[in-house]
Amino acid sequence: MILRAEELAALESDIDAWLDDQLRTNPTVLTVDRGEPGQRRWYVRMTGEEKTVSTVWFTLGQRQLHCECHFMPAPEENEGRLYEYLLRRNRELTGLRFAIGVEDAVFLVAELPAHTVTETEIDRLLGSFYAYSERWFRPCMRIGYQTRFKN
């Protein structure tokens, strides 16, 4: 389903309002920035304990809301073991998945049909990015950078 221009504008406004509220009330949300003028893109920077900072990109199009977060850089070692670990974790994820992106970095990604985007869904996605990063960042870094974590 393709959203009409007025539907996209209304959804963009709803996302702006929800993210502004998160910035004011959610201590995990550090900043919310917008993409270039004319883009329907948001950058939500969050703080965590296991992963100090994560940025989730939300990009709204006529058909879908695409979301992604840089999870970790490309592994320096144990690539096969790390990728197997991530594939096995994908079975446990709800609504998100691990993927290999630019420069072989690991990302968490998600897509929602644009007509299904609500504040509840955005909240669920943002919370999932946070929870999955906190849960699996350290184990993945220990696999992909084993030599650095020996001490």
PDB file of all heavy atoms in Angstrom, residues 80-95:
ATOM      1  N   GLY A  80      33.503 -16.573  10.781  1.00  0.00           N
ATOM      2  CA  GLY A  80      32.508 -17.632  10.626  1.00  0.00           C
ATOM      3  C   GLY A  80      31.765 -17.912  11.915  1.00  0.00           C
ATOM      4  O   GLY A  80      30.543 -18.080  11.922  1.00  0.00           O
ATOM      5  N   ARG A  81      32.496 -17.950  13.004  1.00  0.00           N
ATOM      6  CA  ARG A  81      31.869 -18.197  14.312  1.00  0.00           C
ATOM      7  C   ARG A  81      30.914 -17.063  14.687  1.00  0.00           C
ATOM      8  O   ARG A  81      29.810 -17.301  15.181  1.00  0.00           O
ATOM      9  CB  ARG A  81      32.959 -18.352  15.367  1.00  0.00           C
ATOM     10  CG  ARG A  81      32.433 -18.858  16.676  1.00  0.00           C
ATOM     11  CD  ARG A  81      33.595 -19.270  17.589  1.00  0.00           C
ATOM     12  NE  ARG A  81      33.231 -18.879  18.928  1.00  0.00           N
ATOM     13  CZ  ARG A  81      34.027 -18.302  19.805  1.00  0.00           C
ATOM     14  NH1 ARG A  81      35.280 -18.044  19.485  1.00  0.00           N
ATOM     15  NH2 ARG A  81      33.603 -17.991  20.992  1.00  0.00           N
ATOM     16  N   LEU A  82      31.329 -15.818  14.422  1.00  0.00           N
ATOM     17  CA  LEU A  82      30.471 -14.677  14.731  1.00  0.00           C
ATOM     18  C   LEU A  82      29.210 -14.700  13.871  1.00  0.00           C
ATOM     19  O   LEU A  82      28.100 -14.535  14.391  1.00  0.00           O
ATOM     20  CB  LEU A  82      31.206 -13.358  14.528  1.00  0.00           C
ATOM     21  CG  LEU A  82      30.321 -12.115  14.719  1.00  0.00           C
ATOM     22  CD1 LEU A  82      29.880 -11.988  16.180  1.00  0.00           C
ATOM     23  CD2 LEU A  82      31.028 -10.867  14.254  1.00  0.00           C
ATOM     24  N   TYR A  83      29.360 -14.919  12.570  1.00  0.00           N
ATOM     25  CA  TYR A  83      28.197 -14.911  11.690  1.00  0.00           C
ATOM     26  C   TYR A  83      27.236 -16.042  12.029  1.00  0.00           C
ATOM     27  O   TYR A  83      26.019 -15.873  11.976  1.00  0.00           O
ATOM     28  CB  TYR A  83      28.615 -14.945  10.223  1.00  0.00           C
ATOM     29  CG  TYR A  83      29.390 -13.710   9.814  1.00  0.00           C
ATOM     30  CD1 TYR A  83      30.445 -13.785   8.910  1.00  0.00           C
ATOM     31  CD2 TYR A  83      29.080 -12.458  10.337  1.00  0.00           C
ATOM     32  CE1 TYR A  83      31.161 -12.660   8.537  1.00  0.00           C
ATOM     33  CE2 TYR A  83      29.798 -11.325   9.980  1.00  0.00           C
ATOM     34  CZ  TYR A  83      30.833 -11.434   9.080  1.00  0.00           C
ATOM     35  OH  TYR A  83      31.529 -10.320   8.722  1.00  0.00           O
ATOM     36  N   GLU A  84      27.765 -17.203  12.416  1.00  0.00           N
ATOM     37  CA  GLU A  84      26.891 -18.286  12.854  1.00  0.00           C
ATOM     38  C   GLU A  84      26.139 -17.877  14.123  1.00  0.00           C
ATOM     39  O   GLU A  84      24.935 -18.107  14.242  1.00  0.00           O
ATOM     40  CB  GLU A  84      27.688 -19.562  13.119  1.00  0.00           C
ATOM     41  CG  GLU A  84      26.812 -20.694  13.626  1.00  0.00           C
ATOM     42  CD  GLU A  84      27.582 -21.962  13.961  1.00  0.00           C
ATOM     43  OE1 GLU A  84      28.776 -22.069  13.621  1.00  0.00           O
ATOM     44  OE2 GLU A  84      26.971 -22.850  14.582  1.00  0.00           O
ATOM     45  N   TYR A  85      26.845 -17.263  15.039  1.00  0.00           N
ATOM     46  CA  TYR A  85      26.219 -16.801  16.284  1.00  0.00           C
ATOM     47  C   TYR A  85      25.083 -15.820  15.973  1.00  0.00           C
ATOM     48  O   TYR A  85      23.980 -15.921  16.526  1.00  0.00           O
ATOM     49  CB  TYR A  85      27.286 -16.147  17.178  1.00  0.00           C
ATOM     50  CG  TYR A  85      26.779 -15.679  18.510  1.00  0.00           C
ATOM     51  CD1 TYR A  85      26.681 -16.557  19.580  1.00  0.00           C
ATOM     52  CD2 TYR A  85      26.400 -14.347  18.710  1.00  0.00           C
ATOM     53  CE1 TYR A  85      26.226 -16.123  20.818  1.00  0.00           C
ATOM     54  CE2 TYR A  85      25.943 -13.913  19.942  1.00  0.00           C
ATOM     55  CZ  TYR A  85      25.856 -14.808  20.993  1.00  0.00           C
ATOM     56  OH  TYR A  85      25.393 -14.379  22.209  1.00  0.00           O
ATOM     57  N   LEU A  86      25.354 -14.877  15.070  1.00  0.00           N
ATOM     58  CA  LEU A  86      24.334 -13.886  14.710  1.00  0.00           C
ATOM     59  C   LEU A  86      23.131 -14.524  14.017  1.00  0.00           C
ATOM     60  O   LEU A  86      21.980 -14.162  14.296  1.00  0.00           O
ATOM     61  CB  LEU A  86      24.934 -12.801  13.808  1.00  0.00           C
ATOM     62  CG  LEU A  86      25.964 -11.893  14.480  1.00  0.00           C
ATOM     63  CD1 LEU A  86      26.672 -11.042  13.438  1.00  0.00           C
ATOM     64  CD2 LEU A  86      25.321 -11.040  15.546  1.00  0.00           C
ATOM     65  N   LEU A  87      23.381 -15.472  13.119  1.00  0.00           N
ATOM     66  CA  LEU A  87      22.270 -16.161  12.458  1.00  0.00           C
ATOM     67  C   LEU A  87      21.416 -16.910  13.469  1.00  0.00           C
ATOM     68  O   LEU A  87      20.184 -16.928  13.383  1.00  0.00           O
ATOM     69  CB  LEU A  87      22.789 -17.117  11.388  1.00  0.00           C
ATOM     70  CG  LEU A  87      23.228 -16.470  10.089  1.00  0.00           C
ATOM     71  CD1 LEU A  87      23.913 -17.501   9.191  1.00  0.00           C
ATOM     72  CD2 LEU A  87      22.055 -15.832   9.382  1.00  0.00           C
ATOM     73  N   ARG A  88      22.051 -17.497  14.443  1.00  0.00           N
ATOM     74  CA  ARG A  88      21.281 -18.193  15.481  1.00  0.00           C
ATOM     75  C   ARG A  88      20.496 -17.198  16.330  1.00  0.00           C
ATOM     76  O   ARG A  88      19.381 -17.484  16.764  1.00  0.00           O
ATOM     77  CB  ARG A  88      22.196 -19.058  16.340  1.00  0.00           C
ATOM     78  CG  ARG A  88      22.759 -20.232  15.546  1.00  0.00           C
ATOM     79  CD  ARG A  88      23.565 -21.170  16.407  1.00  0.00           C
ATOM     80  NE  ARG A  88      24.220 -22.185  15.616  1.00  0.00           N
ATOM     81  CZ  ARG A  88      23.635 -23.259  15.111  1.00  0.00           C
ATOM     82  NH1 ARG A  88      22.351 -23.468  15.305  1.00  0.00           N
ATOM     83  NH2 ARG A  88      24.318 -24.130  14.389  1.00  0.00           N
ATOM     84  N   ARG A  89      21.037 -16.039  16.572  1.00  0.00           N
ATOM     85  CA  ARG A  89      20.310 -15.004  17.324  1.00  0.00           C
ATOM     86  C   ARG A  89      19.113 -14.484  16.525  1.00  0.00           C
ATOM     87  O   ARG A  89      18.092 -14.108  17.099  1.00  0.00           O
ATOM     88  CB  ARG A  89      21.226 -13.827  17.682  1.00  0.00           C
ATOM     89  CG  ARG A  89      22.421 -14.141  18.568  1.00  0.00           C
ATOM     90  CD  ARG A  89      22.139 -14.697  19.953  1.00  0.00           C
ATOM     91  NE  ARG A  89      21.688 -16.039  20.033  1.00  0.00           N
ATOM     92  CZ  ARG A  89      22.442 -17.161  19.985  1.00  0.00           C
ATOM     93  NH1 ARG A  89      23.740 -17.093  19.820  1.00  0.00           N
ATOM     94  NH2 ARG A  89      21.899 -18.360  20.103  1.00  0.00           N
ATOM     95  N   ASN A  90      19.228 -14.449  15.201  1.00  0.00           N
ATOM     96  CA  ASN A  90      18.109 -13.978  14.373  1.00  0.00           C
ATOM     97  C   ASN A  90      16.820 -14.732  14.675  1.00  0.00           C
ATOM     98  O   ASN A  90      15.739 -14.171  14.585  1.00  0.00           O
ATOM     99  CB  ASN A  90      18.445 -14.097  12.881  1.00  0.00           C
ATOM    100  CG  ASN A  90      19.143 -12.877  12.350  1.00  0.00           C
ATOM    101  OD1 ASN A  90      19.177 -11.825  12.977  1.00  0.00           O
ATOM    102  ND2 ASN A  90      19.726 -13.014  11.174  1.00  0.00           N
ATOM    103  N   ARG A  91      16.928 -15.993  15.042  1.00  0.00           N
ATOM    104  CA  ARG A  91      15.730 -16.791  15.368  1.00  0.00           C
ATOM    105  C   ARG A  91      15.038 -16.265  16.620  1.00  0.00           C
ATOM    106  O   ARG A  91      13.856 -16.511  16.822  1.00  0.00           O
ATOM    107  CB  ARG A  91      16.092 -18.251  15.564  1.00  0.00           C
ATOM    108  CG  ARG A  91      16.481 -18.951  14.285  1.00  0.00           C
ATOM    109  CD  ARG A  91      16.725 -20.405  14.528  1.00  0.00           C
ATOM    110  NE  ARG A  91      15.596 -21.014  15.227  1.00  0.00           N
ATOM    111  CZ  ARG A  91      14.758 -21.876  14.673  1.00  0.00           C
ATOM    112  NH1 ARG A  91      14.928 -22.247  13.441  1.00  0.00           N
ATOM    113  NH2 ARG A  91      13.772 -22.383  15.377  1.00  0.00           N
ATOM    114  N   GLU A  92      15.778 -15.573  17.483  1.00  0.00           N
ATOM    115  CA  GLU A  92      15.242 -15.082  18.740  1.00  0.00           C
ATOM    116  C   GLU A  92      14.706 -13.653  18.644  1.00  0.00           C
ATOM    117  O   GLU A  92      14.059 -13.179  19.576  1.00  0.00           O
ATOM    118  CB  GLU A  92      16.319 -15.141  19.829  1.00  0.00           C
ATOM    119  CG  GLU A  92      16.865 -16.539  20.066  1.00  0.00           C
ATOM    120  CD  GLU A  92      18.051 -16.552  21.008  1.00  0.00           C
ATOM    121  OE1 GLU A  92      18.104 -15.712  21.930  1.00  0.00           O
ATOM    122  OE2 GLU A  92      18.931 -17.406  20.827  1.00  0.00           O
ATOM    123  N   LEU A  93      14.999 -12.966  17.568  1.00  0.00           N
ATOM    124  CA  LEU A  93      14.609 -11.567  17.425  1.00  0.00           C
ATOM    125  C   LEU A  93      13.151 -11.457  16.986  1.00  0.00           C
ATOM    126  O   LEU A  93      12.669 -12.266  16.206  1.00  0.00           O
ATOM    127  CB  LEU A  93      15.490 -10.868  16.389  1.00  0.00           C
ATOM    128  CG  LEU A  93      16.996 -10.867  16.646  1.00  0.00           C
ATOM    129  CD1 LEU A  93      17.703 -10.145  15.505  1.00  0.00           C
ATOM    130  CD2 LEU A  93      17.329 -10.218  17.958  1.00  0.00           C
ATOM    131  N   THR A  94      12.498 -10.430  17.470  1.00  0.00           N
ATOM    132  CA  THR A  94      11.133 -10.131  17.048  1.00  0.00           C
ATOM    133  C   THR A  94      11.154  -8.820  16.283  1.00  0.00           C
ATOM    134  O   THR A  94      11.437  -7.767  16.851  1.00  0.00           O
ATOM    135  CB  THR A  94      10.196 -10.008  18.273  1.00  0.00           C
ATOM    136  OG1 THR A  94      10.236 -11.232  18.994  1.00  0.00           O
ATOM    137  CG2 THR A  94       8.777  -9.695  17.835  1.00  0.00           C
ATOM    138  N   GLY A  95      10.905  -8.886  14.990  1.00  0.00           N
ATOM    139  CA  GLY A  95      10.799  -7.682  14.180  1.00  0.00           C
ATOM    140  C   GLY A  95      12.096  -7.112  13.658  1.00  0.00           C
ATOM    141  O   GLY A  95      12.080  -6.212  12.831  1.00  0.00           O
TER     142      GLY A  95
END
